[in-house]
Amino acid sequence: MVSSDSRRRVTIRQTLLRAFLLIGLAPAILLAILDFVHADAAMETAIEYDLSAQASAVASDINKIIFERLENAATWSTLDVMQDLQVRDVDRRLSNFLAKLKAGYGGVYRDLYALDLQHRVIGSSNPADFGRQLDSFELWRHLTLAGAQMSLARPSRDGQSVSLTIRTPIKSQFDGHALGDLQLVFNWAQIDGILDAAGGGKRIVALVDDQGQILAASRTVREAGLLAGSALAGWHLPSQPGGAFKHPGPPFGESDVVAGLGRAEGFSGFGGLGLSTLVIEPKGDALAPARHMAQVSLALLAGLALTTLAAAGLVSRAIARPIVALTEFTRGFKHGQTRIIDPPAAAGEVGELGEAFVHLMQDIEQSQGKLVVASKLAAVGEMAAVIAHEVRTPLGILRSSAQILRREAAISKEGRELMAFIESETERLNGLVSAMLDSARPRALRKVVADVNLQARQCSGMLNAQMEKRGISVSHQLDAADPFIECDVERITQVLLNLLLNAIQILPQGGHIRVSTHDDDEQLFIEISDSGPGIPLEERARIFEAFFFRREEGVGLGLAIVQQIVTAHGGEIAVGESELGGARFSIRLPREARMEAHQ
């Protein structure tokens, strides 16, 4: 009988254990499989997008450089000094000009030539080339830019020297007939430098023409000697740029590769030379992060299985124990009834079951206690979120400590720079926290009668050091006859400082800011204008929205807080075009009640 009871107890635990493992592990395994499949696909998509985006960016950089060189040729060919071709540059004025251009561009051009109609060198940045015949010009591309006809020779490599030759006609300013050609020999190694910078790790970057011939490539390709011939003639490049594709490795290796294709869009009348940029990465290296993530996920799944097994064993044991105990109690009670008993014996058996239920209720109460503790911990977490603004205290300590350390004589120059970084970054974080708190919980206004003209001058004085550092000037046109209004001085000061700081940060070196005021009997007007780039018309409707910003380092709260303060004063703020050429912020503030002393 004992052996049979033992088998029953083991059977109950096994049943519960299997149920818990099925419920706990089956969804986890299914989710892990789905995660592996989707993560691999998502990672591959992200890699393809990254390669495509980088290819487009590199193509745009290269297109811009080529456009600048073509624009130089178009501009220089029309200069007055080019007319010296008619007198064969007898005073070498044209040659001196070309030499200065070459030196001024610091290695951008290898040589600059002015050729007569027989392609003889009349003017040159290199005096030794004077009179040289330059007939060897293999036409590769022909285009028109800014009204000038351009002829380009295919980029050629002579040992370590790589160049792109550009020719454009020089015409007489009197009758328009051709005098000769201006020939620019562009240092193509700059394109190689762009591709070297874009490549990194296992990535290869190549510039190819529509025939699949590599015109330039990152260092690994050049060192492998793959620039000669049509190395990619066997590749079927997508007809549309801006995408990614897979291809067998050769000629870049044995393993398959993933490649992004980019081609820059035309701009300023220049449609490009029909070149494409490829960013290539071995598929195995590209998907290495996904494989690593899969290994981590498998390890986590194994840990979850072991944890679930241990937890299921404990839970099944805990659940089976009272059942076994009740069975044993019932069996023992049954064996104890071999003698004749009174009817209360039945009541005694019910009493034993009642005690079991009491114990069950005690377990429920313990579980409820655990839930109460969990609820209290959640409340503590909410309180911790509420006091997040206390981060300003340690930020202030860090900033003060950095300021004190900067005064130490033993600190090195690099140390002082690091202290300056700490000081500026803590100040920026403190400003961000303050801005977010101001935006979330604006305080009530503390109004007093104040002189707005005086506030405007004081705010400009506070920022004088920053303006001098950037070469920015400020002027005041304070025409308000009665500048006294009832306002919160601290908040209006914050409005003026925010607008002035915005102007300082957006203005270039040598910019100008004008602060002006005027008034009538009921209200006072403040205008802050600058000579900066201004604000596009389509952005003016959103410029005062929270978290809308135009500068990368901005957070989009400054102007939202400015509008909040002005509105709290019963006023209005608007943005428009400045007479100085930039933006103009116009503020209208009502006078409200004024003290007699200022009437």
Side-chain angles (χ1 to χ4, degrees):
M1 180 65 80
V2 174
S3 176
S4 176
D5 292 342
S6 299
R7 285 196 299 273
R8 289 193 187 97
R9 289 194 293 270
V10 172
T11 300
I12 292 173
R13 291 191 61 187
Q14 287 179 343
T15 301
L16 292 173
L17 185 61
R18 290 169 184 171
F20 283 128
L21 290 176
L22 181 63
I23 296 172
L25 284 183
I29 294 174
L30 179 60
L31 289 175
I33 293 174
L34 292 175
D35 182 61
F36 292 157
V37 174
H38 290 289
D40 187 70
M43 179 67 73
E44 190 166 339
T45 301
I47 291 170
E48 291 178 354
Y49 177 80
D50 179 54
L51 292 173
S52 175
Q54 186 180 11
S56 297
V58 173
S60 295
D61 291 341
I62 293 174
N63 215 36
K64 180 179 179 182
I65 288 179
I66 294 176
F67 171 75
E68 290 173 352
R69 305 290 77 80
L70 296 175
E71 191 176 40
N72 286 347
T75 302
W76 295 345
S77 66
T78 61
L79 296 177
D80 292 341
V81 70
M82 296 298 168
Q83 301 300 305
D84 286 5
L85 271 178
Q86 297 182 89
V87 295
R88 307 189 65 80
D89 195 25
V90 294
D91 58 357
R92 294 294 183 267
R93 190 168 71 104
L94 177 55
S95 295
N96 293 335
F97 176 73
L98 295 176
K100 289 179 180 179
L101 282 180
K102 176 183 176 181
Y105 273 79
V108 171
Y109 295 102
R110 294 190 182 279
D111 290 296
L112 301 172
Y113 300 107
L115 311 177
D116 63 11
L117 295 176
Q118 287 73 41
H119 300 155
R120 286 190 298 272
V121 177
I122 301 301
S124 172
S125 58
N126 184 2
D129 291 331
F130 184 77
R132 179 182 169 192
Q133 190 75 25
L134 295 181
D135 288 328
S136 58
F137 186 89
E138 178 185 356
L139 180 63
W140 176 50
R141 293 286 191 273
H142 187 78
L143 53 91
T144 302
L145 181 67
Q149 300 294 322
M150 302 283 178
S151 300
L152 282 73
R154 180 179 295 276
S156 59
R157 295 178 180 268
D158 182 12
Q160 297 299 319
S161 176
V162 192
S163 59
L164 170 68
T165 302
I166 305 170
R167 276 186 183 180
T168 185
I170 300 174
K171 297 182 179 180
S172 171
Q173 295 179 351
F174 299 103
D175 55 14
H177 75 273
L179 300 177
D181 294 315
L182 174 64
Q183 179 166 310
L184 284 63
V185 182
F186 167 53
N187 185 0
W188 190 254
Q190 294 184 48
I191 303 299
D192 290 342
I194 292 176
L195 302 182
D196 287 340
K202 299 290 185 177
R203 288 192 176 183
I204 294 171
V205 187
L207 181 67
V208 300
D209 61 12
D210 49 5
Q211 303 298 319
Q213 181 170 352
I214 303 177
L215 301 179
S218 50
R219 183 173 291 104
T220 53
V221 177
R222 299 198 303 271
E223 293 175 350
L226 297 177
L227 293 180
S230 300
L232 300 180
W235 287 42
H236 299 290
L237 302 180
S239 59
Q240 295 296 328
F245 61 96
K246 303 178 185 65
H247 197 276
F252 301 113
E254 298 300 327
S255 62
D256 293 349
V257 298
V258 183
L261 178 67
R263 185 179 298 127
E265 297 181 357
F267 61 96
S268 299
F270 177 56
L273 301 180
L275 307 180
S276 300
T277 303
L278 286 172
V279 180
I280 304 167
E281 185 172 12
K283 186 176 180 180
D285 295 320
L287 296 179
R291 295 173 181 171
H292 176 70
M293 184 173 64
Q295 294 173 353
V296 173
S297 299
L298 288 175
L300 292 176
L301 183 61
L304 176 63
L306 294 176
T307 303
T308 303
L309 181 62
L314 294 174
V315 173
S316 63
R317 178 182 175 186
I319 294 176
R321 185 184 296 113
I323 298 175
V324 174
L326 180 60
T327 302
E328 290 178 349
F329 168 76
T330 304
R331 186 180 297 111
F333 181 79
K334 178 181 178 181
H335 286 290
Q337 297 300 317
T338 53
R339 59 182 179 85
I340 299 174
I341 57 172
D342 298 332
E349 186 177 18
V350 173
E352 293 291 333
L353 291 175
E355 291 180 2
F357 281 108
V358 169
H359 291 303
L360 179 61
M361 294 302 297
Q362 291 175 346
D363 291 339
I364 294 175
E365 290 178 356
Q366 291 178 356
S367 299
Q368 289 176 338
K370 293 180 180 179
L371 289 175
V372 171
V373 172
S375 299
K376 291 181 179 179
L377 291 174
V380 171
E382 292 179 0
M383 291 178 64
V386 171
I387 62 172
H389 68 278
E390 292 297 332
V391 70
R392 289 184 298 181
T393 300
L395 283 176
I397 295 173
L398 285 174
R399 185 169 182 268
S400 300
S401 301
Q403 290 175 337
I404 293 172
L405 285 174
R406 287 181 67 186
R407 300 191 189 104
E408 294 292 335
I411 299 281
S412 64
K413 180 179 179 182
E414 291 78 6
R416 294 181 187 278
E417 290 180 356
L418 293 176
M419 292 302 163
F421 292 154
I422 294 173
E423 183 178 348
S424 61
E425 288 303 300
T426 52
E427 181 65 22
R428 184 177 67 84
L429 290 175
N430 186 59
L432 175 59
V433 172
S434 299
M436 296 185 72
L437 290 177
D438 286 343
S439 178
R441 294 193 300 274
R443 63 170 177 79
L445 299 179
R446 295 191 286 266
K447 293 186 178 181
V448 296
V449 175
D451 184 343
V452 174
N453 286 353
L454 178 60
Q455 283 184 268
R457 290 189 181 277
Q458 289 176 342
C459 290
S460 299
M462 293 179 193
L463 302 175
N464 189 52
Q466 294 188 37
M467 288 189 283
E468 288 183 353
K469 182 178 180 181
R470 297 173 63 91
I472 296 172
S473 60
V474 61
S475 62
H476 298 87
Q477 188 176 339
L478 308 178
D479 297 332
D482 184 2
F484 293 93
I485 64 170
E486 195 173 11
C487 65
D488 187 321
V489 176
E490 180 181 343
R491 305 309 295 275
I492 294 300
T493 299
Q494 183 179 1
V495 167
L496 296 175
L497 287 176
N498 276 357
L499 294 178
L500 288 171
L501 279 171
N502 277 356
I504 292 172
Q505 291 167 353
I506 202 67
L507 282 175
Q509 190 80 12
H512 181 70
I513 302 172
R514 183 177 66 198
V515 182
S516 58
T517 63
H518 60 280
D519 63 338
D520 57 27
D521 292 338
E522 301 297 330
Q523 51 200 355
L524 185 140
F525 301 90
I526 307 171
E527 291 185 355
I528 296 181
S529 308
D530 62 60
S531 60
I535 300 173
L537 186 61
E538 63 273 12
E539 294 183 3
R540 294 177 190 174
R542 300 186 58 201
I543 197 68
F544 296 107
E545 292 181 7
F547 302 108
F548 177 81
F549 55 88
R550 301 178 67 226
R551 292 180 292 104
E552 293 184 0
E553 66 271 16
V555 294
L557 286 176
L559 290 179
I561 294 173
V562 165
Q563 186 184 53
Q564 186 181 73
I565 295 172
V566 172
T567 302
H569 281 78
E572 296 177 350
I573 182 170
V575 63
E577 295 181 5
S578 166
E579 297 175 356
L580 302 176
R584 179 186 66 211
F585 287 88
S586 303
I587 302 172
R588 180 192 62 80
L589 294 173
R591 291 191 182 279
E592 297 187 355
R594 294 182 296 172
M595 296 177 64
E596 291 295 324
H598 299 293
Q599 294 205 8

